Amino acid sequence: WASAIGFQSSDTLLKILTRKKDITPVLIEEISKSLNFDSTESNFFGFMVKYSQAKNLREKNLYEVVMKELAGPKGTRIEINDEDLFSHWSNLAILSFCNLKTNCTRKNLKSYFIEDVSQDLIEQSIDKLLQLGLLSEDTEGRLHRLYNHESSRNDQPMQSVRNYYRQVFDIGKKRVDFPVDEREFQTALLAIKRDQLPVIKDLIRSFKAKLAELSQVKEGEQVYHLNIQFFPMSKSIDEKEFIIKQNIEETIPL
């Protein structure tokens, strides 16, 4: 059984089961592949491991929230790695517009957009969403969203997703001038240790998952976009390299 799920020896598996050895990200990936997990199942398994290895209650609560989101009722969440879905921000916007309390049709969708979007682009987006199985259209022309949440896989680079980010960030820049009671902008600069980065990313994903729960309604009144960015503002300081450099500078006379 150990070799069937990717272990070279049963001894390694025994150490993991008896909590004498942690499951590494590499092992998580190997086990997921050997058990033919799909991306959602693989993510869930990864968070189960993080939950079991959490150092404190706060971390456990964080991973529990993420697992609940991943294990939502069947038909509410789907992970899409199709480049076409993220080719233009209007695709995902239309899916959310179909959660508004008015009937969503090809004819009235244009009236929901603040940005100037052509009817041709809207038609292309609708056809694309129908083809991907994310949207349905009934005999009366009403469009229905089939899932509550669509996303790409975490930490899997996709050029279309990067382009999508650039598109919505540009829209976000315009919203800075909106009245403050209609939007929220926050920023902070944080000095962190490199090993804190995975925890911070998980915290951000947990917050996003909690917020997504509030939006799972069929009678919405307005669609908002959440942009979250967490990126480096300085070069990473290697401790050994920094100490050597510091010592050299201290030996140079001024």
Side-chain angles (χ1 to χ4, degrees):
W1 183 58
S3 60
I5 59 174
F7 291 101
Q8 294 181 352
S9 70
S10 58
D11 183 57
T12 302
L13 179 58
L14 181 61
K15 287 181 179 179
I16 289 173
L17 294 175
T18 55
R19 294 183 175 273
K20 294 179 180 179
K21 179 181 177 64
D22 285 342
I23 302 180
T24 64
V26 173
L27 275 177
I28 291 172
E29 186 174 350
E30 289 178 355
I31 293 171
S32 296
K33 286 180 180 178
S34 65
L35 295 176
N36 295 318
F37 286 164
D38 61 28
S39 55
T40 300
E41 292 168 337
S42 179
N43 280 341
F44 188 86
F45 175 58
F47 280 109
M48 281 181 61
V49 172
K50 290 179 179 180
Y51 178 87
S52 67
Q53 296 175 355
K55 298 176 182 178
N56 52 57
L57 183 60
R58 189 180 67 174
E59 283 188 21
K60 280 187 176 292
N61 290 338
L62 162 66
Y63 297 133
E64 185 177 0
V65 168
V66 178
M67 286 191 292
K68 284 181 178 178
E69 166 67 9
L70 288 172
K74 188 176 181 181
T76 62
R77 177 186 176 93
I78 187 172
E79 200 170 80
I80 300 289
N81 294 312
D82 193 298
E83 296 275 355
D84 282 347
L85 177 61
F86 305 97
S87 60
H88 196 272
W89 63 268
S90 61
N91 298 333
L92 289 172
I94 287 173
L95 288 172
S96 292
F97 291 168
C98 289
N99 278 6
L100 295 173
K101 60 183 179 182
T102 54
N103 286 333
C104 182
T105 67
R106 291 175 182 266
K107 292 182 179 180
N108 68 5
L109 269 175
K110 186 174 173 60
S111 64
Y112 299 156
F113 285 92
I114 295 176
E115 299 297 299
D116 185 18
V117 178
S118 70
Q119 185 62 36
D120 284 344
L121 181 58
I122 292 172
E123 294 286 347
Q124 291 173 22
S125 292
I126 292 172
D127 292 340
K128 192 172 298 180
L129 295 169
L130 290 170
Q131 183 180 7
L132 289 171
L134 303 176
L135 206 62
S136 67
E137 188 171 17
D138 63 28
T139 55
E140 297 180 3
R142 290 175 299 196
L143 299 167
H144 304 277
R145 186 179 186 176
L146 299 182
Y147 297 88
N148 287 336
H149 183 66
E150 304 84 6
S151 68
S152 62
R153 186 172 187 176
N154 287 331
D155 297 327
Q156 180 174 309
M158 291 174 63
Q159 188 58 48
S160 63
V161 173
R162 290 173 179 170
N163 292 337
Y164 175 84
Y165 290 152
R166 294 185 182 101
Q167 292 169 12
V168 293
F169 292 164
D170 284 342
I171 294 173
K173 287 189 287 186
K174 300 177 187 177
R175 300 299 186 264
V176 172
D177 297 321
F178 267 45
V180 293
D181 60 343
E182 293 185 17
R183 48 83 173 170
E184 180 67 23
F185 280 71
Q186 294 285 339
T187 183
L189 287 167
L190 311 172
I192 67 168
K193 294 183 177 179
R194 291 293 300 174
D195 60 3
Q196 291 178 305
L197 185 56
V199 176
I200 293 172
K201 291 177 72 172
D202 286 337
L203 282 169
I204 292 172
R205 290 167 184 175
S206 173
F207 165 71
K208 178 173 171 280
K210 286 183 177 180
L211 201 59
E213 290 178 8
L214 297 176
S215 68
Q216 293 181 7
V217 296
K218 297 297 183 183
E219 298 292 321
E221 296 176 346
Q222 191 171 9
V223 171
Y224 267 68
H225 197 289
L226 175 69
N227 283 349
I228 302 178
Q229 305 151 52
F230 188 72
F231 52 83
M233 286 290 284
S234 74
K235 295 178 181 178
S236 178
I237 296 176
D238 181 276
E239 188 174 354
K240 292 180 181 178
E241 189 177 300
F242 179 73
I243 291 173
I244 293 171
K245 183 179 179 182
Q246 191 177 42
N247 291 337
I248 291 173
E249 289 177 347
E250 288 176 354
T251 60
I252 298 175
L254 297 177

